[in-house]
Amino acid sequence: MGAEALRALLARVRYEVLPARATEEKVLAHVPRDVTVAVTASPVKGLEPTLALTERLAAHGYRVVPHVPARLLRDDTHLKDVAERLGGAGVDDIFVPAGDADPPAGPYGGALPVLRRLTGMGRPFTETGITGYPESHPLIHDDLTIQAMWDKRAHATYIVSNLCFDARVLGDWLTRIRRRDVTLPVYVGVAGPVQRARLLAMATKIGVGESARFLTGHASWFLRLAAPGGYDPRRLLTRGAAAFTAPSAGVAGLHLFTFNQVAETERWRRALLDRLGG
């Protein structure tokens, strides 16, 4: 991968964090104000920790993108209240996944009805993100996940690809969605320089029930992280060079899953930029 192309990707990053007790302090200490911060939401703890952290970080001058999972919304009134609260905090970008709450808190079983409702409300946010699945969803056929992106395209402005450790899979997926005329810009979702032990520790802190689902649903992550040589995000970016930088791919930047290893992620990014002369 050319240094210029890699620098461009590293300059257009979003850091995903979990709304834990020390997250605000970590972001303030280590994340520059020009890096967008995405805040996840927990099916165990609900939306409030996400909204509260979003408000605090926005007040500190960050561009913040809260996750607003459809299955955590109680009803239309709740969605309207959330939109007004975020708008009051200056938030103009949200990410709307289906979410993992089972059963749902209200009538929304997936993201599309929420997106349609937001459109009906006059599109209160300038930017609205949706999920893409480079690797097979455990419950949904690949063609259906691409069809879902097609159905959502009129209500969304960008896609964030779900975490993937395989550059070839990511490249093939980008090719497939473009062939299906899904033209929304994509933020490629990759893990930062995460350590297996730290990832496991993070998983065990996010709630007993949720932690069990996390570990069960992502066993392959731990296998890959434990493989000889471990995981190196630079290696993934290098291997995916052609796919990620081709004009036809429509890649807007990187979405780095930090698993709250914020200092390590930013230190890795800065070191790589310095090495590349950026």
Side-chain angles (χ1 to χ4, degrees):
M1 186 182 221
E4 183 177 350
L6 183 51
R7 279 199 306 269
L9 280 178
L10 290 167
R12 302 193 304 271
V13 297
R14 299 153 59 103
Y15 283 176
E16 180 174 299
V17 301
L18 290 78
R21 184 178 303 170
T23 304
E24 180 181 3
E25 179 183 347
K26 289 180 178 180
V27 171
L28 290 175
H30 303 290
V31 180
R33 295 301 194 280
D34 61 349
V35 171
T36 297
V37 180
V39 183
T40 66
S42 161
V44 173
K45 298 178 181 178
L47 269 177
E48 180 55 33
T50 299
L51 300 178
L53 179 58
T54 295
E55 289 172 326
R56 295 196 302 272
L57 291 177
H60 287 300
Y62 287 97
R63 179 174 175 80
V64 191
V65 183
H67 289 212
V68 182
R71 296 170 72 90
L72 286 181
L73 293 165
R74 296 188 298 273
D75 50 34
D76 286 355
T77 299
H78 188 201
L79 173 59
K80 183 173 181 292
D81 289 345
V82 168
E84 290 179 350
R85 180 174 173 181
L86 291 172
V91 173
D92 66 356
D93 187 346
I94 65 169
F95 179 67
V96 184
D100 298 322
D102 187 15
Y108 301 124
L112 183 57
V114 173
L115 295 166
R116 286 173 172 159
R117 184 67 184 126
L118 287 169
T119 297
M121 291 165 55
R123 297 180 181 265
F125 301 99
T126 304
E127 303 288 344
T128 303
I130 58 174
T131 308
Y133 296 95
E135 296 186 293
S136 296
H137 189 284
L139 301 176
I140 309 173
H141 190 277
D142 289 347
D143 286 340
L144 293 180
T145 64
I146 294 177
Q147 181 63 44
M149 285 187 289
W150 172 262
D151 294 337
K152 297 170 187 173
R153 76 194 189 286
H155 309 283
T157 58
Y158 65 90
I159 298 165
V160 177
S161 67
N162 205 12
L163 183 59
C164 182
F165 291 94
D166 190 319
R168 180 189 58 79
V169 169
L170 275 166
D172 289 348
W173 174 75
L174 286 167
T175 298
R176 289 183 61 213
I177 67 171
R178 299 317 184 198
R179 285 176 178 169
R180 290 282 295 271
D181 290 329
V182 176
T183 59
L184 295 176
V186 172
Y187 286 89
V188 175
V190 298
V194 63
Q195 298 174 353
R196 182 178 182 274
R198 294 289 298 277
L199 180 57
L200 181 60
M202 189 71 247
T204 60
K205 291 179 180 178
I206 58 178
V208 176
E210 187 178 359
S211 178
R213 285 191 294 273
F214 181 91
L215 295 173
T216 301
H218 303 94
S220 64
W221 293 2
F222 294 95
L223 291 175
R224 295 184 193 192
L225 290 168
Y231 167 68
D232 180 351
R234 184 184 182 185
R235 185 165 59 238
L236 184 148
L237 294 176
T238 301
R239 290 173 176 172
F244 301 162
T245 60
S248 60
V251 171
L254 299 178
H255 184 96
L256 291 175
F257 295 85
T258 71
F259 298 100
N260 282 17
Q261 296 180 40
V262 177
E264 296 88 341
T265 302
E266 176 61 12
R267 189 159 50 242
W268 166 81
R269 185 179 78 99
R270 290 305 328 171
L272 188 49
L273 280 170
D274 289 344
R275 194 176 305 135
L276 295 166

